[in-house]
Amino acid sequence: RYSDNTAYQMLFDTFGTAHFNETAKQAGASLRLGSYVFGETSAADMAKLYLDLYRYNGIYRDFLLQEMENNTSRNFIAAGVPKGIRVVNKYGSGSNMTLGYHDSAIIFTDVPCVLVIYTTFNFDRNYDKVPFHEIAARVVEINRQVEYF
């Protein structure tokens, strides 16, 4: 099995940046990829991209969501969501303006929501993961209590 970075590099080499950049633009995100393979973005932009992913209805939707659900980084947002609620996520770490550990997820509660958490944590201390769990649990709790019309 390839790592995320290896798979990403293969996609980048095969498809380039034009489609991603157009998709990001249509989603309202400011992130654009150029000659540098990895981009840096904000939590707000990542939330826009995940909302766009949730709304995506193409032929690869189920495959993409399943792969994100079955990843090995389930100890951040997913760990704080009650069992039985589907979570698709992608964890990452950053440098420069996005230094720290981050997780972005679609949480499939009765009314699905997108949760993106960016931190400056370095996880040298295991308890730095606790805020991810607590925030995710609170978001699910609030989501369950809101009456949607």
Side-chain angles (χ1 to χ4, degrees):
R1 180 173 175 156
Y2 293 112
S3 77
D4 290 342
N5 289 346
T6 302
Y8 178 81
Q9 182 68 53
M10 292 169 68
L11 289 168
F12 184 87
D13 291 345
T14 302
F15 298 107
T17 61
H19 182 72
F20 176 86
N21 288 340
E22 183 58 31
T23 300
K25 180 180 175 183
Q26 289 177 6
S30 61
L31 172 64
R32 300 295 182 271
L33 299 177
S35 59
Y36 178 63
V37 176
F38 298 101
E40 292 185 341
T41 191
S42 66
D45 271 357
M46 190 59 70
K48 292 173 186 175
L49 294 169
Y50 269 65
L51 181 58
D52 191 60
L53 173 63
Y54 171 74
R55 292 175 175 160
Y56 172 67
N57 202 22
I59 61 172
Y60 297 109
R61 181 182 197 269
D62 292 339
F63 171 77
L64 180 58
L65 294 178
Q66 182 178 1
E67 289 300 306
M68 291 176 71
E69 184 176 14
N70 293 328
N71 72 61
T72 58
S73 61
R74 308 290 290 169
N75 53 354
F76 298 97
I77 289 174
V81 174
K83 300 256 186 270
I85 297 176
R86 184 180 190 195
V87 178
V88 298
N89 72 296
K90 173 64 179 86
Y91 133 92
S93 60
S95 59
N96 299 327
M97 78 174 209
T98 60
L99 180 63
Y101 283 83
H102 323 300
D103 199 5
S104 303
I106 303 169
I107 304 171
F108 286 87
T109 46
D110 288 341
V111 177
C113 61
V114 170
L115 177 59
V116 177
I117 303 171
Y118 275 33
T119 75
T120 56
F121 299 153
N122 62 17
F123 293 123
D124 286 340
R125 305 167 305 224
N126 197 38
Y127 60 80
D128 282 343
K129 297 177 186 174
V130 171
F132 285 89
H133 309 162
E134 292 178 358
I135 292 168
R138 298 297 178 265
V139 166
V140 170
E141 182 181 320
I142 291 167
N143 184 286
R144 288 178 166 170
Q145 293 175 8
V146 174
E147 290 187 33
Y148 296 92
F149 300 96

